Amino acid sequence: MLAIIGGSGLTQLASLEVTRREVVRTPYGEPSASLTFGRIGTQEVVFLARHGHGHSIPPHRVNYRANLWALVHAAKATGIVSVASVGGIRSDLGTGKLVVPHQIIDYTWGRPATFYDGGESPVIHVDFTEPYDRSLRERLLCAGDAIGVPLSGAAVYATTQGPRLESAAEINRLERDGADIVGMTGMPEAVLARELETPYAAICAVANWAAGRGDSANAIAFEKIEAVLQESLGQVRRVIEHLCADTP
Ligand code: HPA
């Protein structure tokens, strides 16, 4: 079972032949939305809209623990592909580019970020040297290659708290830290998947130049973002379809 967490602009997957929807309760409360089960080709897929069906849950209020728990324990996902929109920092990662990041930096705060939260459970420190699953990343990159959708295969994803966008100085700092793209939902999603020992990778659509860069030099033009995202997410869907078609 492959799980797909859809972000802004991707609240459903047209190619998914839906078989059922399920409302799941978890020890951590309610996931962002009901789980949608179905098939793409022969691959069983479960889809979850990260921000809810009506896109009403802001990044800092997403119940990441409930979402991950539901996908892994209720839906039995054995791999998770996260789809997210990001701002581009690195000069070759402008609006419209698609990126499969290989590293992450966490600037979020106040989000429940572990399943090992004291109580009865022993203290566990998971290894997070490589935050994304190498083989799932490679499968995404191969799928892009196979259908001629260019994917940038190495980028450091900075996760900011949001929901506001960054100041230009903050983006400069992120760049000095080594970040190439910036989004608001990469963490704690990635680490919770790791705690559940489930391969996790992300495919990110650059929706805008980050603050102070490119055509965001003076402000971010929100009115342009929607059209760009729709175009990019069309390509993301094709990559995911190919990934599913290629699953043995
Ligand atoms: N910053 C943070 N998150 C984002 C951005 C951005 O510029 N664009 C899309 N998600």
Side-chain angles (χ1 to χ4, degrees), residues 8-153:
S8 303
L10 195 81
T11 50
Q12 52 190 359
L13 268 180
S15 46
L16 186 66
E17 275 175 58
V18 176
T19 49
R20 71 193 162 93
R21 291 182 211 278
E22 193 178 318
V23 175
V24 175
R25 287 198 170 55
T26 82
Y28 302 95
E30 287 197 23
S32 297
S34 55
L35 303 186
T36 305
F37 290 85
R39 229 171 273 115
I40 299 179
T42 54
Q43 171 71 51
E44 301 277 348
V45 171
V46 55
F47 179 82
L48 173 61
R50 182 186 289 115
H51 300 285
H53 287 307
H55 202 274
S56 54
I57 309 170
H60 62 294
R61 292 207 178 272
V62 169
N63 190 341
Y64 296 95
R65 291 195 298 186
N67 286 354
L68 273 288
W69 195 97
L71 292 176
V72 173
H73 288 294
K76 309 288 180 218
T78 51
I80 301 172
V81 172
S82 152
V83 181
S85 69
V86 294
I89 301 177
R90 204 170 75 203
S91 61
D92 63 321
L93 297 180
T95 307
K97 292 284 165 66
L98 297 178
V99 187
V100 176
H102 75 298
Q103 276 293 337
I104 205 159
I105 305 179
D106 187 9
Y107 299 93
T108 67
W109 46 271
R111 303 182 181 188
T114 180
F115 291 107
Y116 300 114
D117 211 14
E120 299 291 293
S121 54
V123 178
I124 305 265
H125 302 285
V126 291
D127 175 62
F128 205 48
T129 312
E130 269 194 69
Y132 297 103
D133 183 75
R134 188 178 283 201
S135 115
L136 193 49
R137 286 186 62 249
E138 264 160 24
R139 284 177 55 205
L140 281 168
L141 293 170
C142 284
D145 243 12
I147 58 171
V149 171
L151 300 175
S152 179

Side-chain angles (χ1 to χ4, degrees), residues 4 207 233:
I4 295 161
L233 291 173

Side-chain angles (χ1 to χ4, degrees), residues 50-51 59 64 84-89 104-108 111 132 156-166 171 174 179-187 204-205 208 210:
R50 182 186 289 115
H51 300 285
Y64 296 95
S85 69
V86 294
I89 301 177
I104 205 159
I105 305 179
D106 187 9
Y107 299 93
T108 67
R111 303 182 181 188
Y132 297 103
V156 178
Y157 176 130
T159 314
T160 53
Q161 177 71 357
R164 69 167 176 85
L165 292 157
E166 300 72 31
I171 293 299
L174 298 186
D180 301 308
I181 51 176
V182 55
M184 300 175 190
T185 57
M187 286 292 282
C204 303
N208 56 279

